[in-house]
């Protein structure tokens, strides 16, 4: 199936990490020109840029801490200047944050909200204004989580930030529909990336402990998530908006 993505342009936040990097590769495989954001680790985005340029695609790199409003503005301006325009925004960058609710301080709240939620609001607004002005539509796909609609202990700020992303996608979907801009969420379950922390490698039994909760009996991969992002960024999903798609091996529906 032709996804009709060839020649489109995408800005991807957190392209230096597991899922973001896989999304960038998935989009580039369909002929999409990319602007790759990173914050602290430029090794992976440099590898991707080299790979994509060798295929004849435009690929740019931009360092931005997305918790900074100015950095987000500069990142969007840079992407528009270098790629000419933005057809697709992938709000992927995010952090996990484990702490007991009773021990939390306002800094904990601010940090997670700024990175996981506020950045998506600002980037989406800047890119949507650009898309609306161009008048040819566009796609915004957020990396939410299976916790968008359920609770997990010691993850309050993370759960609230991802719940907020659900509300953001639905609200923007309604307001941006007249501009032919579709806004959707991908809600991964437990995916084998660095966000799961050192315990995965260092603590025997931890991986199996996670797997025990998953009906499909394995962790998900970044590439599996990327396929869903690519579909939601493509012209094959044009009548889908304001939706959150779980990609979790059945874990969310199976919890008692
Ligand atoms: P990851 O490998 O740790 O990647 C996280 C990415 O976010 C990295 O590229 C990192 O950039 C970027 N990032 C973090 N803070 C940033 C900041 N302040 N400014 C800009 N970029 C920042 O983990 P991942 O699993 O791929 O996570 C990607 C997204 O998937 C997150 O939104 C996460 O909540 C979501 N998710 C993951 C899972 C899972 O099980 N893996 C499940 C549900 C949802 P640098 O490395 O350059 O700092």
């Amino acid at each position: 199936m032709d996804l009709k993505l060839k020649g489109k342009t995408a800005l991807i936040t957190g392209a230096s990490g597991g899922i973001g990097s896989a999304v960038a590769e998935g989009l580039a495989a369909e002929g999409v020109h990319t602007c790759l954001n990173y914050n602290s680790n430029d090794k992976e985005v440099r590898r991707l840029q080299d790979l994509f340029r060798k295929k004849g695609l435009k690929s740019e790199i931009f360092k931005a801490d997305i918790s900074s409003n100015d950095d987000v503005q500069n990142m969007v301006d840079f992407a528009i200047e270098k790629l000419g325009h933005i057809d697709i925004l992938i709000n992927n960058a995010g952090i996990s944050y484990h702490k007991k609710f009773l021990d939390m301080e306002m800094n904990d709240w601010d940090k997670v909200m700024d990175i996981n939620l506020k950045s998506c609001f600002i980037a989406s607004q800047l890119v949507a204004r650009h898309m609306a002005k161009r008048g040819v539509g566009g796609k915004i796909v957020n990396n939410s989580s299976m916790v968008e609609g359920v609770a997990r202990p010691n993850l309050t700020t993370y759960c609230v930030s991802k719940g907020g992303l659900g509300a953001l996608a639905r609200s923007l979907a309604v307001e941006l529909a007249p501009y032919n801009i579709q806004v959707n969420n991908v809600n991964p379950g437990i995916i084998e990336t660095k966000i799961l922390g050192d315990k995965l490698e260092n603590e025997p039994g931890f991986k199996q402990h996670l797997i025990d909760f998953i009906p499909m009996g394995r962790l998900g991969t970044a590439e599996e998530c990327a396929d869903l992002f690519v579909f939601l960024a493509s012209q094959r999903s044009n009548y889908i908006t304001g939706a959150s798609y779980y990609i979790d091996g059945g874990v969310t529906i199976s919890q008692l």
Side-chain angles (χ1 to χ4, degrees):
M1 180 167 68
D2 178 8
L3 294 174
K4 302 180 185 175
L5 276 166
K6 199 169 171 10
K8 299 279 185 191
T9 58
L11 168 59
I12 302 146
T13 69
S16 50
I19 299 175
S21 162
V23 172
E25 287 214 58
L27 289 172
E30 296 296 327
V32 175
H33 307 292
T34 52
C35 181
L36 309 169
N37 157 249
Y38 75 100
N39 182 37
S40 60
N41 157 32
D42 69 349
K43 199 172 154 208
E44 177 63 3
V45 287
R46 295 207 182 282
R47 181 189 76 81
L48 292 173
Q49 182 184 49
D50 193 41
L51 192 70
F52 300 166
R53 284 185 170 176
K54 278 185 183 145
K55 285 185 185 184
L57 295 169
K58 287 186 214 161
S59 186
E60 303 291 338
I61 290 172
F62 195 82
K63 176 175 166 55
D65 174 353
I66 56 161
S67 66
S68 152
N69 300 358
D70 288 345
D71 276 20
V72 175
Q73 174 83 60
N74 293 335
M75 173 181 73
V76 171
D77 289 348
F78 175 87
I80 293 170
E81 186 198 325
K82 294 291 182 181
L83 300 178
H85 64 268
I86 299 173
D87 294 305
I88 299 158
L89 169 65
I90 307 287
N91 283 316
N92 162 75
I95 56 166
S96 183
Y97 201 77
H98 290 251
K99 204 166 185 178
K100 287 185 189 308
F101 173 65
L102 296 179
D103 296 336
M104 269 182 195
E105 295 171 12
M106 281 321 294
N107 281 347
D108 301 315
W109 170 271
D110 289 343
K111 183 177 176 180
V112 179
M113 291 307 148
D114 286 355
I115 295 174
N116 287 5
L117 183 57
K118 188 190 73 172
S119 69
C120 300
F121 171 88
I122 296 173
S124 298
Q125 189 185 49
L126 294 169
V127 171
R129 282 176 179 160
H130 159 77
M131 288 172 171
K133 201 166 159 193
R134 276 188 81 217
V136 295
K139 302 279 182 180
I140 298 174
V141 191
N142 303 311
N143 198 337
S144 184
S145 165
M146 66 175 180
V147 304
E148 187 179 297
V150 296
R152 288 286 179 274
N154 307 325
L155 274 174
T156 299
T157 49
Y158 186 72
C159 291
V160 174
S161 69
K162 298 300 188 178
L165 273 184
L168 185 69
R170 290 188 291 275
S171 302
L172 300 195
V174 170
E175 278 206 53
L176 298 177
Y179 301 97
N180 193 26
I181 299 168
Q182 288 84 47
V183 187
N184 292 292
N185 286 358
V186 171
N187 294 20
I190 308 173
I191 312 300
E192 196 157 0
T193 71
K194 278 196 270 173
I195 211 167
L196 297 183
D198 298 339
K199 275 164 69 173
L200 206 57
E201 279 179 19
N202 302 337
E203 199 175 293
F206 180 66
K207 186 171 178 177
Q208 190 56 48
H209 165 73
L210 296 176
I211 288 172
D212 288 344
F213 290 101
I214 305 171
M216 284 187 66
R218 65 173 177 85
L219 303 185
T221 69
E223 290 70 25
E224 286 170 318
C225 295
D227 288 342
L228 186 49
F229 276 93
V230 171
F231 172 69
L232 291 172
S234 81
Q235 298 300 302
R236 295 293 183 180
S237 59
N238 281 353
Y239 200 55
I240 299 175
T241 197
S244 294
Y245 286 95
Y246 287 74
I247 174 161
D248 66 355
V251 70
T252 313
I253 51 164
S254 71
Q255 298 300 295
L256 296 175

